[in-house]
Amino acid sequence: MIESSQTETASTTLKYGMVGGGEGAFIGDVHRKAINMDGMADLVCGCFSSDPENTLRTGLGLGLDPARLYKTFEEMAVAEGKQDEPIDFVVIVTPNNTHYPVAKVFLENGINVVCDKPLTVTSAQARELKELAEARGLAFCVTYTYTGYPVAKHAREMVRNGDLGEIRFVNAEYAQDWLSTLLENTDQKQAGWRSDPTQSGASNCVGDIGSHIESLVAFMTGLRIKRLSARLDTMVDGRVLDDNASIMVEYDSGAKGLYWCSQIAVGNDNGLKVRIFGSKASIEWAQENPNYMKISYLDQPSQIISRGRDGLYPGAECFSRVPSGHPEGYFEAFANIYKPFITFLMKQKQGQTTLPEDQDFPKAEQGENGVRFIEKCVESSKNNSAWVDLD
Ligand SMILES: NC(=O)c1ccc[n+]([C@@H]2O[C@H](COP(=O)([O-])OP(=O)(O)OC[C@H]3O[C@@H](n4cnc5c(N)ncnc54)[C@H](O)[C@@H]3O)[C@@H](O)[C@H]2O)c1
């Protein structure tokens, strides 16, 4: 198939602001580029850094009106909430400990929120944000990036459709090596805050990448973790938080799982891989080769399906953007989180009926589940890897 399956650019655009993502930051720029991909929302304001000079440089570089570049996120939330046409949503891409106060003040000022993961540093904060958004009738999206890949969505549809039979076991890992040395003792900013419990929360490795495993497996399988036993290790001398974790889980269905996340796995970049074993078939998907998935039915040769060539379920196919063999990746996955979210907001704004598929983006509920998972891993590990219930 060689034609594009995508609808064209929307006729109206929404307006958004950003907190974080200043000069020298990592993920904010990825969000901006991913949002631009579908041309459905324009960046109009920001507080890109706690350093106002950085915010000014970043904002002017992005062509924004200096009057809408703010010294603090509180000032931005209040001022934007009072505009004749307030921004339709804010994107929060700051270190973990700031997500809660930033999201809270924007919700309080009537603004829809997109927040990067982990949603907050405590599950009580996450629950409060979820309830606040519900009470105000505001949309809340948590950017669990990897759930945006079309093939990951196809895995979800296969499980929903019973193609794998009853799920028995899940094996998932996220292996990186970028913290194999004490990088936080250099001026590497991303390593600095992630290794600092006051900014990162009670866990570094589980919070940063174990949370991606939890969200992606929950997304693909629909299984809820009932209890877990975790061992968090700090392998690099002098480091304060965990850099490697081994986690056994039991789901409410009775299925079992084994997760491993590591930032000291020499030779690995962003090795997120999920294998789901059912009574009829298994699937294996790896983030670094995201356009393909291995499917094995019992007593049959394994097959590799290819996004764009082999038909995916409709709920996945509609997210495929270019023909097979032209790799789609990280930016497209991010854009696939934003596309339904922005469509949902546009329809709401125009008084149109919204469809269930317009809400195919991770929400505060998934964000809260993620933070509870991190908390319970830390609790278990502190108690000699005792089994702890999630509810
Ligand atoms: N979804 C993903 O795949 C993914 C990937 C990377 C990071 N993240 C998450 O995104 C967040 C940011 O991570 P990063 O690696 O981009 O960090 P970063 O350190 O590169 O960027 C953080 C930015 O926030 C700004 N900032 C800090 N405090 C601020 C404040 N009070 N007001 C305004 N701006 C402030 C900093 O100046 C910087 O520009 C983290 O929560 C991280 O877990 C998610």
Side-chain angles (χ1 to χ4, degrees), residues 19-22 24-28 47-50 73 93-96 98-99 116-118 143 145-146 189-190 193-194 208 212 330 334:
V19 179
F26 165 41
I27 209 68
C47 171
F48 298 105
S49 168
S50 45
F73 64 82
V93 279
T94 51
N96 305 346
T98 53
H99 294 176
D116 220 314
K117 46 53 60 179
T143 42
T145 320
Y146 305 114
K189 184 178 166 140
Q190 285 77 21
W193 71 256
R194 279 174 174 80
D208 203 36
H212 278 303
Y330 195 57
F334 253 108

Side-chain angles (χ1 to χ4, degrees), residues 145 148-150 287 290-291 307 326-336:
T145 320
Y149 283 104
Q287 195 278 143
N291 295 278
R307 177 206 54 75
H326 296 300
E328 287 181 6
Y330 195 57
F331 285 113
E332 286 86 353
F334 253 108
N336 289 343

Side-chain angles (χ1 to χ4, degrees), residues 313-344:
Y313 277 110
E317 184 75 39
C318 60
F319 288 94
S320 175
R321 290 165 182 268
V322 290
S324 54
H326 296 300
E328 287 181 6
Y330 195 57
F331 285 113
E332 286 86 353
F334 253 108
N336 289 343
I337 306 277
Y338 275 106
K339 194 170 184 187
F341 177 75
I342 296 174
T343 303
F344 176 72

Side-chain angles (χ1 to χ4, degrees), residues 350-384:
Q350 293 166 355
Q352 294 178 29
T353 311
T354 58
L355 305 170
E357 55 264 36
D358 298 329
Q359 293 217 47
D360 191 4
F361 56 83
K363 305 189 183 59
E365 183 186 344
Q366 282 76 48
E368 185 193 345
N369 292 343
V371 181
R372 193 178 312 107
F373 170 77
I374 299 163
E375 269 178 358
K376 293 294 176 178
C377 285
V378 172
E379 182 187 325
S380 168
S381 189
K382 281 188 176 156
N383 288 289
N384 206 20

Side-chain angles (χ1 to χ4, degrees), residues 101-387:
V102 181
K104 187 163 186 255
V105 73
F106 277 90
L107 292 172
E108 284 169 346
N109 283 279
I111 294 168
N112 301 298
V113 170
V114 176
C115 184
D116 220 314
K117 46 53 60 179
L119 176 51
T120 51
V121 292
T122 72
S123 59
Q125 292 174 338
R127 192 162 45 255
E128 192 187 324
L129 291 179
K130 183 184 76 177
E131 289 170 359
L132 183 57
E134 282 164 4
R136 303 274 172 132
L138 294 167
F140 202 118
C141 172
V142 180
T143 42
Y144 284 122
T145 320
Y146 305 114
T147 65
Y149 283 104
V151 177
K153 289 183 187 283
H154 184 62
R156 173 188 66 175
E157 300 303 307
M158 288 186 73
V159 172
R160 277 183 179 163
N161 203 43
D163 296 354
L164 308 193
E166 186 193 334
I167 305 302
R168 292 170 168 166
F169 193 78
V170 179
N171 184 204
E173 65 187 49
Y174 197 148
Q176 301 180 326
D177 68 0
W178 73 298
L179 292 181
S180 293
T181 61
L182 213 51
L183 193 64
E184 58 267 44
N185 280 10
T186 68
D187 60 1
Q188 217 277 3
K189 184 178 166 140
Q190 285 77 21
W193 71 256
R194 279 174 174 80
S195 308
D196 170 5
T198 67
Q199 296 187 75
S200 194
S203 161
N204 159 39
C205 188
V206 177
D208 203 36
I209 54 175
S211 58
H212 278 303
I213 297 178
E214 182 277 333
S215 65
L216 185 59
V217 171
F219 174 81
M220 286 179 168
T221 65
L223 296 174
R224 278 185 74 87
I225 298 174
K226 194 172 138 202
R227 58 185 204 134
L228 61 77
S229 161
R231 175 187 162 133
L232 276 55
D233 293 300
T234 305
M235 300 291 191
V236 174
D237 284 345
R239 178 159 290 148
V240 180
L241 291 172
D242 54 305
D243 50 25
N244 188 82
S246 316
I247 305 158
M248 283 198 290
V249 302
E250 276 184 31
Y251 304 99
D252 51 6
S253 66
K256 313 287 188 292
L258 186 58
Y259 301 167
W260 168 56
C261 53
S262 182
Q263 295 155 321
I264 53 93
V266 174
N268 287 275
D269 298 324
N270 276 288
L272 172 61
K273 186 161 146 190
V274 179
R275 291 192 287 170
I276 303 172
F277 299 93
S279 52
K280 294 201 281 192
S282 72
I283 54 179
E284 179 172 330
W285 180 79
Q287 195 278 143
E288 291 183 347
N289 190 21
N291 295 278
Y292 300 92
M293 181 165 68
K294 179 178 167 192
I295 305 178
S296 307
Y297 290 98
L298 205 58
D299 298 330
Q300 288 182 34
S302 297
Q303 20 176 306
I304 305 288
I305 61 150
S306 162
R307 177 206 54 75
R309 182 190 65 196
D310 304 317
L312 306 182
Y313 277 110
E317 184 75 39
C318 60
F319 288 94
S320 175
R321 290 165 182 268
V322 290
S324 54
H326 296 300
E328 287 181 6
Y330 195 57
F331 285 113
E332 286 86 353
F334 253 108
N336 289 343
I337 306 277
Y338 275 106
K339 194 170 184 187
F341 177 75
I342 296 174
T343 303
F344 176 72
L345 293 186
M346 271 184 180
K347 286 191 174 180
Q348 266 195 337
K349 199 172 178 180
Q350 293 166 355
Q352 294 178 29
T353 311
T354 58
L355 305 170
E357 55 264 36
D358 298 329
Q359 293 217 47
D360 191 4
F361 56 83
K363 305 189 183 59
E365 183 186 344
Q366 282 76 48
E368 185 193 345
N369 292 343
V371 181
R372 193 178 312 107
F373 170 77
I374 299 163
E375 269 178 358
K376 293 294 176 178
C377 285
V378 172
E379 182 187 325
S380 168
S381 189
K382 281 188 176 156
N383 288 289
N384 206 20
S385 305
W387 283 91

